[in-house]
Amino acid sequence: MEAFDIAIVGAGLAGNIAALALADSGKRVALVAPAGRSTDGRTTALMAQSMDFIRDLGLFEEIAAVAAPLETMRILDGTGRLFRAPPVSFRSSEVGLPAFGYNIPNAPFLAELETRISAHQAITRLEAKLERLVLTESAVELHLSDKRSIIAGLVAGADGRQSEVRRQSGIAVRAWTYPQTALVLNFAHDLPHANTSTEFHTEHGPFTQVPLPGRRSSLVWVLSPREAEATRSLPLEALGRAVEERMQSLLGKVTVEAAPQAFPLSGMQAERFGKGRVVLLGEAAHAFPPIGAQGLNLSLRDVMALRDLLADPARPAATIGEAFDRSRRADIQSRTMSVDLLNRSLLSGFLPVQILRTAGLHMLSAIGPLRSVVMREGVEPGGSWKAVRDTLRERVTRKQA
């Protein structure tokens, strides 16, 4: 059997980025996944920390060319409830950033990653499904659907919510569903978006417009399953009018480019994120609704944490899983809980919950330092504490001078 330092199972965004990041750190990598996929019309918002990681991989120029910067993120209360929140705008300039991040179409992003992988001498692309995973004391055997078998010192499962790596490693999951469906589409509009993303909070969930290059935007519209099906079946012209009405004509006339994709909303978290010579990345480990641009950013922090662990030559591969689990637990659990609570607060008809949500947005609107903390934490976990530490260090240096 051919031997590799790492075998990554799954060739979505998280798996491809992991392959490049780990191969660039000097590891011999096998990337295992079937060839071909359906066209992905979605977009992904990557925050500044993730874009710095993309820059480290030498991908920034190509990705930024098809992406739009996110300079302002605005929340508007689109409910008809008694207690309504004021508008809240988060501006990247308030925390010293030119942009919070970039909104990137998935299809060209994946195409660029695949081009880089095919040219990388340290990555072997195996176009097959994982059939059987055998854990031994010294390595992991992977038996594939094309009858080939390989061995690896470490296996990273990046094979999504129905992860075969996770199942065959005996790692259980906790899963839940929401009474919601997300419609995803792209549209053109008459007025410029000024690199501003607008999220309307409605009784059924968020309606989130995110800028694309030019006078185009992507949209995630969360509705009840019945309303989502009715909206999805509208002719494109009628759908454009519905989007424009929901947006209160903020971007003028709307032209929907293609029929929307629909995704029932659910959440999932693995009971552990690593075990022995196995680690779980991205949606093999955690998944939640597309709220607050957290999904792939959380997945890339998985990849960064794994790369950092593997940089220590003294750490045995057989202990990587437990170390990875410890390093990722707090971040994953806190993000999952935050997104879940925000989503459920929109759905709740319980008046005290509505009052608490409204009060929280009032505070964010009125208190600049609190808004800055939330912005820094959204871009990078621990970013607010890092900013405080750097400020204190600068003041001490000035006093000593």
Side-chain angles (χ1 to χ4, degrees), residues 48-264:
Q49 181 191 33
S50 297
M51 290 305 295
D52 287 343
F53 185 43
I54 294 298
R55 185 180 281 104
D56 289 345
L57 296 178
L59 292 163
F60 181 82
E61 296 301 327
E62 290 79 1
I63 298 306
V66 297
L70 306 175
E71 297 176 7
T72 301
M73 302 179 79
R74 176 170 56 190
I75 297 175
L76 301 178
D77 193 329
T79 69
R81 291 168 173 163
L82 177 62
F83 293 95
R84 299 185 66 191
V88 182
S89 291
F90 303 94
R91 296 179 175 84
S92 60
S93 57
E94 292 184 68
V95 289
L97 294 172
F100 289 117
Y102 285 79
N103 188 38
I104 308 163
N106 285 5
F109 194 179
L110 277 167
E112 179 61 30
L113 289 170
E114 289 169 354
T115 298
R116 293 297 184 95
I117 285 168
S118 65
H120 204 300
Q121 294 189 350
I123 302 175
T124 299
R125 181 70 169 89
L126 301 174
E127 295 183 346
K129 291 176 62 177
L130 173 67
E131 294 283 353
R132 189 160 57 95
L133 196 72
V134 179
L135 305 174
T136 70
E137 288 188 8
S138 59
V140 183
E141 297 178 7
L142 293 89
H143 301 276
L144 310 182
S145 58
D146 62 1
K147 309 305 179 185
R148 281 183 293 183
S149 297
I150 62 172
I151 59 172
L154 180 75
V155 171
D159 47 344
R161 297 187 186 214
Q162 306 303 319
S163 171
E164 193 66 19
V165 171
R166 186 185 66 227
R167 186 185 71 80
Q168 295 200 31
S169 299
I171 298 175
V173 297
R174 179 173 63 91
W176 59 96
T177 60
Y178 299 95
Q180 298 164 294
T181 296
L183 295 185
V184 178
L185 58 90
N186 297 330
F187 65 94
H189 40 81
D190 286 350
L191 301 179
H193 50 55
N195 295 330
T196 296
S197 173
T198 302
E199 182 169 289
F200 288 86
H201 286 180
T202 79
E203 294 91 339
H204 300 298
F207 172 102
T208 308
Q209 164 267 331
V210 190
L212 287 168
R215 295 190 179 188
R216 297 177 64 243
S217 291
S218 62
L219 175 69
V220 178
W221 189 355
V222 177
L223 295 159
S224 69
R226 181 176 58 82
E227 289 180 316
E229 184 59 34
T231 302
R232 187 185 185 192
S233 65
L234 290 173
L236 293 187
E237 186 175 348
L239 181 57
R241 289 195 298 269
V243 172
E244 181 182 344
E245 181 179 350
R246 177 72 271 183
M247 286 206 68
Q248 302 174 11
S249 296
L250 284 175
L251 296 176
K253 179 178 171 58
V254 164
T255 303
V256 176
E257 296 177 352
Q261 295 175 283
F263 300 91

Side-chain angles (χ1 to χ4, degrees), residues 263-306:
F263 300 91
L265 295 195
S266 63
M268 180 278 294
Q269 183 176 304
E271 287 191 355
R272 56 191 302 169
F273 312 119
K275 178 182 178 181
R277 294 178 180 273
V278 173
V279 299
L280 301 178
L281 305 176
E283 290 198 342
H286 46 76
F288 44 68
I291 297 173
Q294 293 301 310
L296 186 61
N297 291 283
L298 187 62
S299 300
L300 294 195
R301 292 200 294 276
D302 294 342
V303 177
M304 292 181 225
L306 179 58

Side-chain angles (χ1 to χ4, degrees), residues 335-350:
R335 297 289 158 156
T336 302
M337 184 183 303
S338 298
V339 170
D340 182 66
L341 286 174
L342 176 57
N343 191 40
R344 293 185 189 277
S345 75
L346 292 175
L347 296 174
S348 177
F350 190 44

